[in-house]
Amino acid sequence: MSRVADDVFNDQQLAVRAESPLHHLGLPAKPANQLQGGVQLKELALQGHLILRGDPNNELFSKGVEKALGVALPTQPHQSSQSKTAVVQWLGPDEWLILVDGGSEAQIEKELHEHLHGHYLVVDVSGGQTILHLSGTNAEQVLQKSTGYDVHLRNFPVGKGVQTTLAKSTALIRRIEDNYFELVVRRSFADYLWRWLVDASEEYGLSIGG
């Protein structure tokens, strides 16, 4: 192989293109002011997802996380907290999911390592998950058809997040606003869950994107 061919081959190897799990659907993005119907569904693609593990009873750990993320670590089941740069969701007594803007995850991970010491774990799982946003006046009804968990506002207030079943898969569901939900789903089930939610939303009028 010639030197020129080698250079072309190497350039092609280095050209890595990030695609969301739903890239193949070619999802349209409608402006918010053009959305109609009782349900709006969109993918928030290519965001940063970090798993953090550590001891919340260790003051140095908790303070280190707060310095790195700008928000206190949620320590109660199903709690979440949010700063300008990150959403932190409680997953278990010593485990959290950190969601950040796509492209910033490496810097956030670096800052965590700079502020944390001792026994802890930070893992970038961005490539294995994606985020769906389900909103609208009938969004809660769609979830009621799709999960066994009680998502009524009286049991599922704003800021609460749960890992539960969704159709025949699972998701981390968090209520962002009264009629606005965030669903963190595994990459391998993203297509299935998207199509499920589209079907479950049809009777209310569905808009994609926005």
Side-chain angles (χ1 to χ4, degrees):
M1 185 179 292
S2 69
R3 176 64 181 273
V4 172
D6 283 340
D7 290 342
V8 171
F9 178 73
N10 290 333
D11 288 343
Q12 290 175 342
Q13 280 189 313
L14 294 173
V16 178
R17 182 176 65 184
E19 293 182 348
S20 84
L22 299 177
H23 173 80
H24 63 286
L25 295 179
L27 300 176
K30 296 182 180 179
N33 60 5
Q34 293 184 13
L35 294 177
Q36 298 178 352
V39 181
Q40 289 84 51
L41 180 62
K42 67 178 180 179
E43 181 191 20
L44 188 61
L46 303 177
Q47 297 298 288
H49 302 237
L50 301 172
I51 291 292
L52 172 67
R53 302 201 68 170
D55 181 4
N57 297 315
N58 182 328
E59 187 175 0
L60 291 177
F61 173 77
S62 297
K63 287 185 176 181
V65 173
E66 188 169 356
K67 287 181 181 179
L69 301 179
V71 67
L73 195 65
T75 57
Q76 297 301 312
H78 313 306
Q79 275 188 342
S80 65
S81 55
Q82 186 169 352
S83 69
K84 293 181 180 180
T85 58
V87 174
V88 186
Q89 174 66 55
W90 183 96
L91 298 181
D94 66 348
E95 184 175 6
W96 298 265
L97 173 64
I98 303 170
L99 300 176
V100 298
D101 290 337
S104 69
E105 57 270 24
Q107 180 61 34
I108 296 295
E109 183 176 0
K110 179 183 177 182
E111 291 179 9
L112 284 167
H113 286 304
E114 289 176 350
H115 289 93
L116 298 179
H117 306 280
H119 297 288
Y120 72 91
L121 176 70
V122 182
V123 180
D124 186 343
V125 296
S126 305
Q129 300 182 156
T130 194
I131 300 173
L132 306 181
H133 278 183
L134 181 71
S135 60
T137 55
N138 297 110
E140 187 175 294
Q141 286 91 326
V142 171
L143 284 180
Q144 288 172 342
K145 295 196 297 180
S146 306
T147 178
Y149 191 82
D150 182 4
V151 294
H152 192 280
L153 186 60
R154 63 174 176 266
N155 181 66
F156 199 56
V158 173
K160 184 175 182 178
V162 296
Q163 296 184 94
T164 186
T165 57
L166 185 65
K168 294 183 179 180
S169 182
T170 59
L172 172 60
I173 305 174
R174 183 172 69 98
R175 188 189 287 269
I176 301 175
E177 299 174 5
D178 284 1
N179 294 314
Y180 203 134
F181 299 88
E182 174 186 83
L183 287 66
V184 180
V185 303
R186 294 182 181 179
R187 185 181 191 93
S188 55
F189 287 100
D191 179 83
Y192 161 71
L193 288 173
W194 176 271
R195 295 176 189 276
W196 173 284
L197 292 170
V198 167
D199 182 73
S201 301
E202 289 292 350
E203 66 176 289
Y204 305 111
L206 172 65
S207 295
I208 303 297

